[in-house]
Amino acid sequence: QVQLVESGGGLVQAGGSLRLSCAASGSSLSIDVMGWYRQAQGNYRELVARLSSSGVTKYAGSVKDRFTISRDNAKNTVYLQMNSLKPEDTAVYYCQAEILVGTGRRGYWGQGTQVTVSS
């Protein structure tokens, strides 16, 4: 059974910073992509950033140059450093991992962590 546990959310003023962490647990994990998505109230879930095992990154345009994704493969952990936060960054942030299973892959989600940016 694979579990993703997020931490690091909270309340911050506009212009501030937060760092989210997500640790994946399970036996013999072979993780390809790890990433962060967010869902604001009334909106669809959207990609924030993702990072493959080969080091390829993808960012949403709205967060590029403000957010940085990184990972520690030895710890099966992905991080999201969020700087210059804006009220529109307020959302529940979800960790997502794509794990190689045989010749395919399976996606897993964390439970989400709330990020609130006050103006």
Side-chain angles (χ1 to χ4, degrees):
Q1 183 73 12
V2 176
Q3 282 192 317
L4 302 178
V5 179
E6 300 122 331
S7 60
L11 173 64
V12 65
Q13 287 189 329
S17 298
L18 282 174
R19 189 190 193 213
L20 305 183
S21 299
C22 171
S25 63
S27 60
S28 303
L29 294 180
S30 181
I31 303 175
D32 184 11
V33 180
M34 297 191 81
W36 292 94
Y37 290 72
R38 67 186 181 188
Q39 187 167 15
Q41 197 167 7
N43 287 3
Y44 293 106
R45 191 173 298 188
E46 62 176 2
L47 172 71
V48 177
R50 64 199 303 258
L51 174 58
S52 74
S53 57
S54 61
V56 177
T57 59
K58 181 175 182 178
Y59 291 93
S62 60
V63 308
K64 206 170 183 180
D65 300 328
R66 298 188 297 124
F67 292 9
T68 302
I69 189 169
S70 61
R71 62 192 278 181
D72 184 335
N73 291 325
K75 296 181 179 179
N76 289 332
T77 300
V78 64
Y79 306 96
L80 185 68
Q81 178 66 43
M82 305 186 292
N83 298 328
S84 303
L85 282 160
K86 305 175 181 179
E88 51 263 43
D89 294 318
T90 295
V92 178
Y93 283 69
Y94 295 92
C95 175
Q96 195 256 0
E98 294 180 18
I99 297 174
L100 302 177
V101 180
T103 57
R105 60 182 60 219
R106 188 172 298 168
Y108 294 87
W109 293 92
Q111 80 285 357
T113 185
Q114 177 71 46
V115 171
T116 303
V117 184
S118 63
S119 57

